Amino acid sequence: MSLLLTAAGLFLALSLGSANAACQPGIVTNITYVSNYTLQWEAAANPNNCTISSYVVLAIDQEDGTQYQFQTNGVVLNYTFSSFLEICKGYTFEVHALSNQYVLGPSEFYNTTIAPMQDVNLTLSALNVTTNASDNQVNVTWYLLNNKALKCISYYRVVLLDENNSSKDSYVESTQFSLKNDIPCKNYTVQVNAIIDNPTINGPASQIAVQIPGKAPASPSLASIVTSNSTVNMVWKLESFIENHCSLTALNVYTLGVSADISHVKVPIVDSDPRVDVDFTLTGLERAHVYTSFVNVQNNVGTSENVTVAFQTKN
């Protein structure tokens, strides 16, 4: 039997006339909360050989002060609240013996926080990914499907698995995780699960594949340049694969003062890891002439900044 009631209402309802009563139950002690939403206690001290007709149980919500009243048979020294109590919420409990003359005895106060059961539902929603290419950032968000367990969560474990299955663990209290300024075009698997510390409970993991937003490559660097009276040979070093996974497609060489058919030469790149140098030769140049070339490298996102190279053919 249960009833929502204030403490004042309880004592007014049950203690009227008790001042002249010959039999008042003794105090209830050793109140303890055990698993499965069950409260237990020792039988009331009974100095006047009172007949205990029942026990009145008070459960007081420590957050908002709401008080709930329950009643048991006088020979039963426990009460199971079923799903009434909220997990990870604090309660104050009182248990008062009630005599057959409707006199209420005193009680100890017992404070506790309701621990979650091992079978608590910690399932997460599907992970949601948003990408911000402008600042090279990926955001992963989620939420807990069981709102009642939300206040129990100690933190979320985020496991970041790269293409080689190397893992890195992070622990966050919020329901989001950001990958920022990592290797462009690199693929990851993100796994997230909710964890409760006391008692230790690990929820099932949700996972999703993500890729760091692509960006244009860094400018190539000139490794060597050799001229003859009609040619120039350039060797260009490219940004390493470990710095930018976005596949390179071509090296562009724009040269001033040459015929239109060689003013822009696109050298295709078959990308690989590690990236090999690009060897480029321009022919059909005039003897003892100064030229200027502008060189960049491109991928599917864009092109690098130009590198300016001035050179003179031999006489």
Side-chain angles (χ1 to χ4, degrees):
M1 181 171 66
S2 66
L3 177 68
L4 176 62
L5 193 68
T6 65
L10 170 73
F11 286 99
L12 181 62
L14 298 178
S15 297
L16 288 177
S18 62
N20 298 318
C23 180
Q24 180 175 356
I27 190 170
V28 174
T29 61
N30 292 329
I31 303 169
T32 306
Y33 175 81
V34 294
S35 60
N36 297 320
Y37 303 103
T38 299
L39 195 72
Q40 64 185 27
W41 55 88
E42 287 190 3
N46 201 358
N48 298 313
N49 295 318
C50 296
T51 299
I52 305 300
S53 61
S54 64
Y55 286 94
V56 176
V57 180
L58 282 181
I60 305 166
D61 187 324
Q62 293 177 354
E63 289 184 8
D64 60 17
T66 301
Q67 302 185 29
Y68 301 87
Q69 177 183 316
F70 306 87
Q71 198 164 348
T72 72
N73 185 285
V75 296
V76 178
L77 301 179
N78 61 74
Y79 185 83
T80 298
F81 296 91
S82 185
S83 59
F84 161 74
L85 300 176
E86 294 184 35
I87 56 175
C88 300
K89 176 178 274 193
Y91 290 89
T92 298
F93 294 99
E94 301 175 32
V95 181
H96 300 266
L98 182 67
S99 73
N100 59 353
Q101 298 177 26
Y102 298 101
V103 179
L104 203 65
S107 171
E108 286 185 344
F109 293 91
Y110 176 71
N111 298 299
T112 192
T113 297
I114 306 304
M117 308 285 284
Q118 285 291 331
D119 62 354
V120 62
N121 184 5
L122 299 183
T123 303
L124 302 181
S125 66
L127 304 183
N128 181 56
V129 174
T130 56
T131 301
N132 188 339
S134 63
D135 62 0
N136 195 34
Q137 180 170 318
V138 173
N139 295 314
V140 182
T141 58
W142 60 88
Y143 60 89
L144 192 67
L145 294 180
N146 177 16
N147 285 333
K148 291 183 178 180
L150 185 59
K151 65 177 62 179
C152 301
I153 303 303
S154 302
Y155 48 82
Y156 299 91
R157 178 173 58 213
V158 181
V159 180
L160 204 59
L161 294 161
D162 67 13
E163 296 152 331
N164 299 317
N165 282 328
S166 296
S167 64
K168 178 182 178 182
D169 288 9
S170 298
Y171 298 89
V172 298
E173 294 183 357
S174 64
T175 55
Q176 67 174 12
F177 179 78
S178 295
L179 293 77
K180 187 174 182 180
N181 296 324
D182 214 303
I183 301 170
C185 296
K186 187 171 183 178
N187 296 309
Y188 288 100
T189 297
V190 178
Q191 298 175 343
V192 183
N193 70 300
I195 296 178
I196 297 174
D197 267 344
N198 188 22
T200 301
I201 304 174
N202 294 301
S206 292
Q207 75 172 40
I208 196 169
V210 302
Q211 186 180 76
I212 303 300
K215 71 175 183 179
S219 299
S221 59
L222 184 62
S224 67
I225 183 168
V226 178
T227 61
S228 69
N229 56 14
S230 62
T231 66
V232 62
N233 174 261
M234 305 177 188
V235 178
W236 292 92
K237 287 190 173 295
L238 307 175
E239 182 179 30
S240 70
F241 191 78
I242 195 63
E243 294 173 326
N244 190 336
H245 277 25
C246 303
S247 296
L248 299 179
T249 56
L251 181 85
N252 295 296
V253 182
Y254 302 86
T255 305
L256 301 180
V258 298
S259 59
D261 60 323
I262 60 172
S263 63
H264 174 205
V265 179
K266 177 174 282 190
V267 183
I269 296 174
V270 179
D271 208 0
S272 62
D273 180 20
R275 287 184 172 131
V276 298
D277 298 343
V278 178
D279 193 309
F280 165 73
T281 300
L282 187 63
T283 61
L285 304 178
E286 295 182 17
R287 183 187 300 270
H289 194 83
V290 175
Y291 294 93
T292 301
S293 293
F294 304 96
V295 182
N296 65 45
V297 66
Q298 71 180 63
N299 60 18
N300 292 328
V301 178
T303 60
S304 70
E305 296 291 329
N306 287 330
V307 177
T308 303
V309 180
F311 61 89
Q312 183 175 2
T313 53
K314 292 184 178 179
N315 197 341

